Amino acid sequence: MTRVLRDIGFGTRWQMLRIGRAARQGRAGSGTRFVALSFATAALCLALTSLVAVCAGYAGTEERTAARSPQRVAAGHGTTLARYLLKQDTLSDARGYTVVYVEPVSSAAAPPPGLASWPSPGEAVLSPALLQAGAHEHISERYGTPAGTIAPEGLASPGERFAYVRPVHSMRGMAEARPIHGFGTVPEWGSGDFTNQRPIWEFLLTVCGFLLLPAGACLVLAARMGADERDRRTALVAALGALPAHRRLIVIGEAILPAALGALVGVIPAVVGCLINVPVPFAQFTLYAPDLRAHAPWLVAAAVLSLVLTLAVVTVMHRHRPAAAATRPRAGRAALTGFACWACPLFLLAASYGPGLAPSPTLRVLLQVLGTLGGFATLPSLIAAACRASGSALAELSRRWAGPSALISGRWMAASAATTARLVCSVVIAIGLTGEAQLWMSRMAEPVRQATAVHEAVGDSVLTVTSPKGLTAEFARSLPPQAMLVAVDHVKGGTRLTGRCQDLTALHLPCRAGTVTPVTQADERLRYALGNGSDLATTVTTHAPAGTSDAALLLSRHGSALDVARIKRTANRSLAPGSSVSTLGVGWISGGKVLSDQAGWLLFFGLLGTCVLAVGFALNTQAEFLRQGRAAAPLAVLCGRRTVFYGLSAWSLLAPILAAGVAGVFVYSWLARPLVADGAANTSPTLMLAGLGVSGVLGLVLWGCGGTSAARIAARWRPTGD
């Protein structure tokens, strides 16, 4: 037999693969490992294809942004074929978008990408996403007569809000209008979604940290799941003369089917993304299908690589280990474990209360970070001790109540506390880390909260109006009756306001020229618009101010909300191109929306990583439960029913994972206390509900699967002589 096994030909290889496949089918608990390997491979494939998708999205966005970027006419280089003016505007949701005013000056000028032809004077071409988002504001009429939509090749992404406008008035006399030779150059700042993109390495690190590392951890757990029986099998075939190559083939034969299935499942999202545009939850971004199709070979390579990596890890993690030469027991780590149990609460207290006692902002942040990391590092030891104590208490109480399920689960939890602790820690740490990322992202939006407070105080009763060519009489005449127009000029020593007498009086300003009034004595809305330290000088006109300034304030007479959409539409028709109408603080709020969308990526990948970790560790715990379930199989005879195993599954799987979800939300809320207390951050109810929901659903699924599997094992059990 030794000579036959050492002949590692094609027939032998195939025979070894078949032995591995048969070994998988005939082993108890093989179904759990099959699911675990499939899930780990699918998660790994999803992580690798996500990396490809990030690169594809960035490449496509940059390519299309470069294609529409204007080629400036430098001194002596190029001929002016068109004029170009780029501005920003917002909708009522405060999300910003780009408006490009274009005007061809030569018949040789080609229209920008995405447009079949140049719009006529007074026409506008908007992106589909902008038309949909601004439908309730009649966005299609804001800049002129609608002239179609921008084609996908002219947009950075399908969800981009973008508009091309050809104004009625010529831009030749405007200093802000830029002479251009055409389109197609290096992307520049300010053009659509490209402006708000983070560096690509940040996204790649996010995917690696939140998705690839959890997938790798799940793969290692799945590779070592049920290792005891495979170790005995390996020792048997080694004793029969099998070479290392034979043993590797047996291991591969056992794992290749679940790994291949996992790779196929993991590549499904990428296949869907190649066929249709996929909106990304929480991030306000839509992945463009042609971008992924252009990288289809890389997606296939990622799926194959996930299969190869899974087989490699399974093979490496299942090395044949000869019996150890030494029999001396190794020293335990009881002292280190005890220290970690006491250190974990101290770290969490330092992270929660330490920042409030720190004398400097730097030390505050340092205490917060060190306390959080130290708490997470020592948390497994504390949870293991808690599981051990909880198991003993549960067993003692169940002994008095004569409950077999709780009694056995308590004894098992006390004896194998590390297994339960791994399950609980995976959920707690995943929720905690995701929560910390959300907290620090919300901390960056503090100026936005201040701007939001200003907007909530004045609402839409105050608008700022700017125009590069000055205000026009046509614009002043078209305003609603309750609107008061006051021109603003910043002069040495203060601010001069020009308006009609009745408007100045309504704002608590004197109806005479040459009088200086502190802004604190005027309408409080002027303090929000001009600042508390301004001194106001007034100039009276008999008509609404027009042509006297390029900036003005538009206030409602009784503090009611103005029709912002209508006023913007009027300004775009009667003022020079590039004019702006905005509410107070909208610029900061718009920037906060960008931060919120960027934080959405962290939340999206964080939730994915949380789910991957939770499922991976839960499957590992279920495998341990089934291994113990074989020893408990005689309970079906003693109790007269197999429903006892559902009780075992409830106490061993469902209860710990539900407790883990609650503990994770508690740790997240506890660590958020110093940031929330000083108003620098805010917690996310969505994240809390998602953490509890994922834990609950996962616990119920494992409870049902674990109880059913243990009952089936008990049904196949027969008394033996061992």
Side-chain angles (χ1 to χ4, degrees):
M1 176 177 289
T2 301
R3 289 196 305 271
V4 173
L5 286 177
R6 291 183 183 277
D7 181 16
I8 188 74
F10 176 80
T12 304
R13 293 192 186 96
W14 180 249
Q15 184 66 21
M16 294 299 104
L17 293 175
R18 293 179 60 189
I19 290 175
R21 178 174 176 272
R24 175 182 58 80
Q25 293 177 337
R27 184 170 55 84
S30 59
T32 302
R33 187 170 189 261
F34 185 96
V35 174
L37 278 176
S38 300
F39 176 78
T41 309
L44 182 62
C45 182
L46 180 62
L48 295 177
T49 53
S50 297
L51 293 175
V52 176
V54 169
C55 296
Y58 266 78
T61 298
E62 186 172 357
E63 179 183 356
R64 289 185 294 275
T65 304
R68 74 184 183 196
S69 296
Q71 300 173 355
R72 299 187 182 186
V73 176
H77 299 281
T79 305
T80 301
L81 299 180
R83 298 189 182 277
Y84 182 96
L85 179 61
L86 187 146
K87 289 291 182 180
Q88 302 294 323
D89 201 352
T90 58
L91 293 175
S92 58
D93 60 0
R95 294 190 181 275
Y97 61 91
T98 301
V99 181
V100 175
Y101 293 89
V102 288
E103 179 187 37
V105 298
S106 171
S107 59
L115 301 186
S117 60
W118 288 102
S120 302
E123 291 185 341
V125 185
L126 280 62
S127 67
L130 181 57
L131 286 171
Q132 180 179 2
H136 65 287
E137 301 181 38
H138 304 285
I139 189 68
S140 60
E141 303 173 2
R142 176 174 294 185
Y143 302 101
T145 305
T149 58
I150 305 175
E153 59 269 19
L155 300 172
S157 67
E160 185 183 33
R161 300 181 180 183
F162 204 86
Y164 285 107
V165 179
R166 184 173 179 180
V168 177
H169 308 288
S170 175
M171 297 194 298
R172 297 186 183 182
M174 295 179 56
E176 293 184 347
R178 179 184 308 168
I180 63 172
H181 179 69
F183 297 92
T185 185
V186 178
E188 59 182 16
W189 185 90
S191 180
D193 288 352
F194 183 78
T195 305
N196 303 323
Q197 278 190 344
R198 307 292 297 178
I200 187 173
W201 61 267
E202 292 188 10
F203 265 88
L204 294 178
L205 287 179
T206 300
V207 176
C208 291
F210 283 97
L211 193 54
L212 187 59
L213 286 180
C218 290
L219 182 57
V220 172
L221 288 176
R224 290 301 298 164
M225 191 175 292
D228 295 340
E229 291 188 4
R230 292 196 305 279
D231 288 341
R232 291 194 294 268
R233 183 191 66 205
T234 300
L236 175 61
V237 297
L240 294 175
L243 296 174
H246 298 122
R247 297 195 294 267
R248 286 194 294 268
L249 287 173
I250 293 176
V251 173
I252 291 174
E254 183 182 10
I256 190 168
L257 183 58
L261 179 61
L264 290 176
V265 173
V267 82
I268 288 178
V271 173
V272 174
C274 290
L275 299 176
I276 60 174
N277 298 332
V278 178
V280 180
F282 309 113
Q284 298 293 326
F285 181 81
T286 302
L287 191 60
Y288 193 36
D291 290 343
L292 276 185
R293 285 200 294 268
H295 291 72
W298 290 101
L299 296 174
V300 175
V304 174
L305 180 61
S306 65
L307 173 62
V308 173
L309 287 177
T310 298
L311 297 179
V313 170
V314 169
T315 304
V316 171
M317 295 294 294
H318 190 70
R319 297 188 301 267
H320 174 55
R321 296 174 177 84
T327 59
R328 178 182 299 177
R330 293 178 295 179
R333 297 181 295 174
L336 182 60
T337 303
F339 170 77
C341 291
W342 286 103
C344 181
L346 296 178
F347 276 121
L348 294 179
L349 286 173
S352 180
Y353 291 100
L357 304 176
S360 65
T362 302
L363 189 57
R364 230 177 355 252
V365 174
L366 184 62
L367 281 175
Q368 174 78 14
V369 173
L370 291 180
T372 301
L373 294 179
F376 285 154
T378 54
L379 186 62
S381 298
L382 179 62
I383 290 182
C387 291
R388 192 175 296 109
S390 300
S392 300
L394 179 63
E396 181 63 23
L397 292 175
S398 301
R399 183 180 63 82
R400 298 176 182 177
W401 296 340
S405 299
L407 175 63
I408 297 174
S409 298
R411 294 298 187 193
W412 179 72
M413 188 183 300
S416 306
T419 301
T420 306
R422 283 195 296 267
L423 172 64
V424 175
C425 282
S426 65
V427 178
V428 173
I429 293 178
I431 295 177
L433 288 179
T434 306
E436 281 295 295
Q438 180 270 326
L439 286 172
W440 285 102
M441 288 302 297
S442 66
R443 182 184 178 92
M444 297 169 58
E446 173 59 22
V448 179
R449 281 193 294 274
Q450 298 177 3
T452 304
V454 172
H455 185 267
E456 290 177 352
V458 299
D460 292 338
S461 65
V462 182
L463 303 178
T464 59
V465 182
T466 59
S467 178
K469 286 285 199 173
L471 305 180
T472 64
E474 180 185 358
F475 172 73
R477 288 193 302 268
S478 62
L479 294 174
Q482 76 273 22
M484 300 181 293
L485 183 64
V486 180
V488 179
D489 293 287
H490 296 285
V491 297
K492 185 177 181 180
T495 303
R496 184 174 66 243
L497 300 181
T498 303
R500 295 181 297 181
C501 185
Q502 60 267 34
D503 295 341
L504 295 177
T505 303
L507 296 174
H508 308 302
L509 294 173
C511 184
R512 58 182 180 273
T515 303
V516 177
T517 304
V519 72
T520 54
Q521 299 179 11
D523 191 304
E524 66 173 354
R525 292 177 292 176
L526 295 178
R527 295 203 305 270
Y528 288 114
L530 303 175
N532 288 324
S534 300
D535 289 330
L536 307 179
T538 57
T539 301
V540 182
T541 62
T542 57
H543 302 285
T548 59
S549 176
D550 58 359
L553 289 176
L554 197 59
L555 304 95
S556 62
R557 193 169 301 277
H558 302 293
S560 59
L562 296 170
D563 190 347
V564 181
R566 175 187 172 187
I567 295 174
K568 285 187 175 184
R569 185 163 60 249
T570 300
N572 288 318
R573 295 175 184 272
S574 57
L575 298 179
S579 300
S580 173
V581 177
S582 62
T583 55
L584 293 183
V586 70
W588 287 103
I589 300 175
S590 179
K593 295 291 185 180
V594 174
L595 289 177
S596 175
D597 294 343
Q598 293 172 352
W601 287 104
L602 292 178
L603 184 59
F604 173 67
F605 285 113
L607 289 176
L608 277 181
T610 299
C611 295
V612 168
L613 273 179
V615 173
F617 278 89
L619 288 174
N620 180 70
T621 305
Q622 183 183 4
E624 291 294 323
F625 168 74
L626 293 178
R627 186 173 65 87
Q628 297 292 334
R630 283 178 297 170
L635 281 177
V637 178
L638 298 177
C639 298
R641 63 186 187 277
R642 293 198 298 268
T643 56
V644 66
F645 296 104
Y646 288 96
L648 288 174
S649 179
W651 286 108
S652 301
L653 297 176
L654 178 59
I657 203 168
L658 290 179
V662 175
V665 172
F666 172 76
V667 170
Y668 163 53
S669 303
W670 181 271
L671 294 177
R673 292 184 62 185
L675 297 178
V676 175
D678 59 5
N682 59 290
T683 56
S684 172
T686 302
L687 180 59
M688 295 182 184
L689 293 176
L692 294 175
V694 170
S695 301
V697 171
L698 183 59
L700 290 174
V701 171
L702 290 178
W703 167 68
C705 294
T708 303
S709 300
R712 288 176 179 174
I713 292 175
R716 295 194 299 265
W717 175 81
R718 295 293 182 272
T720 57
D722 53 5

